[in-house]
Amino acid sequence: GLDGSSGCRSCLEHRHIKMAVYDGGMMKLCFPVFRYEISVADDPCCYPLGAMYISAYAKKLGHTVRILNFHHREYDLFKEFEGQDAILFTGSDPFLRQIAEAAAIAHSMGIHTVAGGATATHRPEVMRGIVDSVVMGEGEGALAAALAGEGVFSSPPVPLYALPWPDYEGFGIEEYNQKNSVRYMGVLASRGCPFRCHFCAHTTIYRARPLSDVFAEIDHYKTAYSVEIIVFNDNTLNVSRERFLSICEGMKERGLKWSAAIRADRFDEDMARAAKAGGCRYFVVGVESFLQDRLDKMGKGTKIDDNVRTLDLLHKHEIPYHGNLMVGFDFDSPEDIYRELDAGRRGYNVFPLLFRQFCGVKAKPGLSKERFDELQAEFSKLHHLMAGGGYFMWGKKKCPPEQTVNA
């Protein structure tokens, strides 16, 4: 959607746009970005890259875009919306209340509204009851048509090499830098994921950007913003072994630290060695479970041996990391949860994570609210211990591989 998520099918007045080109002239657009429940300080996923891509693309089409980033300050929406031609929104179900309230203000002022994102993609009928135009899937190609009309829109994805880089300036990069203990920026070297884990929303077809464009973007950030760490926000950076090794070499040449998420079944010693030499500062590893029957029920497509081999390699090469042990699915009995926690006592830097329902996700939760809250309180103690050791490895905080939290 407008946040760079991707497409499914609509049951409404869905208009499939082959490649929209807006011909109505320059528009004044306003884009409120509502605050997450958690603090974004030192969070490697703090940058709303999908929204930043949409802003950059709208500017490429000739529009002006005013960003209202609620992570930095509060706004008077009546005042901010005055004189605007259209209001853009993005977000999932937790943001529906804020989107509905802001859209009502816009409509009272006679202003067109457009929304994309997870809810727009997976539940367009819900979002269509709030805004004038709904964008399903990746938003760039359908943006012009959505600005010009009303209904539900989608389009084939715009080639990644044709997209402008994210609009960091518009979203207040320096204000983010003031909140963080180190200057870091997020980069998407690809969109989508070729795997089909049941706990993830599957929308975008996996496509990789040309590495020449990825490194040109990184070089720009190094020159323009004195970035110190690059966070590859890809769902999975190591889809391709050769591409991963090329990224490691490119980062080594640039002398920048970096972090990424990786799968355990596509990692070997050469990749660990290259990542260490290339300045890798941290990995989030898709562990999820140390029980094969649970991995299979999650649709993970990995083996326990993959998890053990990859984590052992990260210890050997002294690359900090963490992994999640996901529990709380409808197939989990109370015994299964504690069976998982017992299996996780291997001296690895893994901790339990309760599954939450999210629109577009195949997996279903299996815990009552009371039991969820009980386990959340229990697990939060482990999370606190981990955070005290330097959870995401920013700044001067350190958490060597041998410093573990045994779930």
Side-chain angles (χ1 to χ4, degrees):
L2 288 185
D3 65 350
S5 61
S6 65
C8 69
R9 288 122 181 102
S10 169
C11 58
L12 299 177
E13 65 254 57
H14 179 204
R15 310 174 191 179
H16 191 78
I17 311 300
K18 291 185 177 180
M19 184 55 69
V21 179
Y22 182 75
D23 59 2
M26 186 272 286
M27 297 180 70
K28 294 180 180 179
L29 309 179
C30 188
F31 199 161
V33 179
F34 299 109
R35 185 169 48 246
Y36 306 140
E37 292 182 1
I38 61 174
S39 171
V40 300
D42 282 335
D43 185 329
C45 297
C46 75
Y47 297 113
L49 287 177
M52 293 162 71
Y53 267 107
I54 289 296
S55 177
Y57 195 78
K59 291 179 178 179
K60 181 179 179 180
L61 294 178
H63 307 304
T64 62
V65 184
R66 174 166 172 71
I67 305 299
L68 308 181
N69 193 335
F70 281 80
H71 293 101
H72 299 325
R73 64 184 61 84
E74 296 296 319
Y75 298 89
D76 180 339
L77 294 184
F78 282 99
K79 180 179 178 181
E80 300 294 342
F81 288 177
E82 187 174 350
Q84 301 297 311
D85 297 311
I87 310 299
L88 308 181
F89 299 104
T90 186
S92 54
D93 287 3
F95 295 94
L96 282 179
R97 180 183 61 80
Q98 293 100 313
I99 293 173
E101 291 174 354
I105 292 173
H107 291 153
S108 73
M109 303 171 70
I111 303 174
H112 185 66
T113 55
V114 180
T119 300
T121 295
H122 295 288
R123 298 202 299 157
E125 71 282 357
V126 172
M127 195 64 82
R128 184 65 179 90
I130 298 173
V131 300
D132 300 314
S133 297
V134 174
V135 175
M136 297 173 59
E138 296 185 46
E140 289 91 354
L143 177 61
L147 288 171
E150 295 188 6
V152 179
F153 302 84
S154 70
S155 79
V158 175
L160 297 184
Y161 63 80
L163 294 177
W165 299 333
D167 182 15
Y168 271 102
E169 284 291 334
F171 280 73
I173 178 60
E174 289 305 326
E175 292 177 272
Y176 277 106
N177 283 331
Q178 292 172 13
K179 294 181 174 70
N180 299 327
S181 59
V182 67
R183 301 175 71 90
Y184 70 94
M185 300 177 76
V187 169
L188 282 172
S190 64
R191 283 190 182 182
C193 182
F195 307 103
R196 289 296 176 262
C197 305
H198 297 169
F199 50 81
C200 282
H202 302 294
T203 53
T204 301
I205 298 172
Y206 176 78
R207 291 123 64 217
R209 290 172 59 194
L211 286 183
S212 58
D213 187 42
V214 174
F215 288 133
E217 180 184 355
I218 292 171
D219 290 341
H220 170 67
Y221 295 159
K222 186 176 180 181
T223 300
Y225 304 112
S226 300
V227 64
E228 299 172 78
I229 296 179
I230 293 295
V231 180
F232 288 103
N233 288 125
D234 303 49
N235 290 327
T236 307
L237 193 66
N238 61 333
V239 171
S240 161
R241 183 178 188 274
E242 290 69 27
R243 181 177 169 87
F244 180 88
L245 293 173
S246 295
I247 289 173
C248 293
E249 183 61 29
M251 295 306 292
K252 180 181 180 180
E253 293 172 359
R254 284 157 179 81
L256 289 172
K257 303 296 182 183
W258 55 280
S259 69
I262 60 171
R263 276 180 68 94
D265 62 340
R266 299 201 170 203
F267 198 73
D268 58 35
E269 182 133 27
D270 287 342
M271 297 167 76
R273 189 179 294 111
K276 181 69 174 182
C280 179
R281 180 102 176 212
Y282 201 83
F283 278 135
V284 178
V285 186
V287 175
E288 324 311 354
S289 177
F290 282 111
L291 299 172
Q292 192 60 52
D293 62 319
R294 296 192 69 255
L295 283 173
D296 295 342
K297 290 176 181 177
M298 294 180 204
K300 183 68 182 180
T302 57
K303 303 295 183 183
I304 297 173
D305 289 347
D306 296 326
N307 290 338
V308 172
R309 182 190 67 255
T310 292
L311 298 186
D312 284 347
L313 284 172
L314 296 180
H315 280 247
K316 177 180 178 180
H317 292 275
E318 298 185 336
I319 301 175
Y321 71 91
H322 86 266
N324 297 324
L325 299 177
M326 298 193 67
V327 296
F329 298 100
D330 59 352
F331 56 75
D332 279 332
S333 68
E335 293 76 19
D336 287 336
I337 293 176
Y338 287 101
R339 189 164 59 99
E340 183 65 75
L341 300 186
D342 286 340
R345 296 180 185 277
R346 300 175 178 229
Y348 295 127
N349 207 36
V350 298
F351 62 94
L353 180 69
L354 289 169
F355 170 70
R356 293 175 182 267
Q357 185 66 58
F358 186 82
C359 61
V361 173
K362 180 178 181 180
K364 303 296 182 184
L367 297 174
S368 67
K369 183 181 185 305
E370 292 75 19
R371 186 55 180 150
F372 185 97
D373 291 342
E374 289 174 2
L375 288 173
Q376 186 82 326
E378 183 178 338
F379 294 168
S380 66
K381 298 175 183 178
L382 296 174
H383 297 186
H384 178 73
L385 288 172
M386 193 172 188
Y391 185 16
F392 286 115
M393 309 302 108
W394 301 146
K396 298 180 180 179
K397 302 175 183 177
K398 295 186 181 298
C399 179
E402 61 270 16
Q403 180 179 334
T404 61
V405 174
N406 292 323

